Amino acid sequence: MIELDGLKVSVQVSNDLRAKAEANRQPAFTFDSGQLPFERISPDHFELLVSDLYRNKHGEPEWNWYDTNFRLNGGSDMGQDVVLMKDGKPVGIVQCKRLKKSMSLEDMLGEICKFFLFAFLNPILLPPRGSDFRYFFAVAASVQNKGFRFFQSSGSQRFIDNRTLIEDILLGLVKKYASFESSVTLQGLSK
């Protein structure tokens, strides 16, 4: 059991899923003429694969900015599928999307806005103010060019340029999710 300021995550669920996947393992490159069949595995297995990839990368040069990671086991994950920690504090997340379609900028902004809203309501999801925090997408298919350019760039101008879209997405999320709609803090939210 891993605990993040009161949020308890069972590591056993991931371990059981990993053992089941190992028992049903297929030879590599069996499907899709040599392409890994990410869209054919379950969302849980895709998240577990991504979590294991981050676990294996840790310790390599330029991958020592976190010391542990874990997968949130389904359900309400508050917009974070894999959490990356350093000294017991969150330093990043990986949002996993095992979709057959290509993700658009709107799809990606929707995911990051959902996380922003959860983090606004639950500050324990973020590191102390002034600390670095990294947000990653792991996608099974692809990302449309506009979304790729947005997330590969840096600086605040990209957010300013997309302000209207981001505001519309945020307001839509507040109406869509009961945990946002019922929040006293978010009631009356406007552009």
Side-chain angles (χ1 to χ4, degrees):
M1 188 72 67
I2 295 175
E3 187 169 335
L4 170 63
D5 287 344
L7 175 67
K8 294 182 179 179
V9 178
S10 171
V11 178
Q12 189 59 44
V13 174
S14 288
N15 289 340
D16 292 346
L17 189 63
R18 194 177 285 112
K20 185 177 177 184
E22 181 64 28
N24 295 318
R25 182 169 45 139
Q26 298 289 319
F29 303 105
T30 300
F31 306 107
D32 294 339
S33 303
Q35 298 295 315
L36 292 176
F38 294 120
E39 75 283 352
R40 292 186 185 178
I41 62 176
S42 74
D44 286 341
H45 282 103
F46 185 67
E47 291 170 7
L48 185 63
L49 171 67
V50 170
S51 177
D52 285 351
L53 289 171
Y54 275 86
R55 184 173 293 119
N56 288 333
K57 290 297 286 181
H58 176 260
E60 291 183 17
E62 299 184 26
W63 288 91
N64 60 355
W65 51 272
Y66 62 96
D67 55 24
T68 188
N69 73 296
F70 58 89
R71 174 186 159 266
L72 288 178
N73 300 314
S76 179
D77 59 21
M78 295 181 281
Q80 50 185 0
D81 295 317
V82 177
V83 180
L84 306 159
M85 307 282 284
K86 177 83 171 186
D87 300 326
K89 299 288 182 192
V91 293
I93 63 165
V94 184
Q95 180 61 39
C96 301
K97 288 295 168 196
R98 186 208 49 88
L99 304 171
K100 293 181 182 178
K101 68 174 188 126
S102 183
M103 283 192 76
S104 68
L105 174 61
E106 292 80 5
D107 295 333
M108 296 173 80
L109 286 174
E111 291 300 322
I112 200 167
C113 285
K114 184 170 45 168
F115 175 73
F116 285 162
L117 287 170
F118 276 118
F120 180 73
L121 297 176
N122 304 292
I124 64 167
L125 301 177
L126 295 173
R129 188 178 290 268
S131 300
D132 287 341
F133 187 81
R134 301 176 188 203
Y135 186 100
F136 297 94
F137 274 103
V139 298
S142 64
V143 174
Q144 293 175 5
N145 195 22
K146 197 172 172 183
F148 184 79
R149 283 194 320 267
F150 180 91
F151 282 95
Q152 289 297 313
S153 61
S154 62
S156 61
Q157 189 61 45
R158 60 192 168 144
F159 291 95
I160 294 166
D161 292 344
N162 288 282
R163 182 179 180 127
T164 301
L165 176 60
I166 292 168
E167 288 172 342
D168 290 343
I169 290 170
L170 283 167
L171 290 174
L173 288 168
V174 170
K175 291 176 185 172
K176 181 178 179 179
Y177 290 92
S179 55
F180 298 147
E181 192 173 39
S182 64
S183 167
V184 174
T185 307
L186 296 176
Q187 286 178 356
L189 185 70
S190 68
K191 287 187 178 187

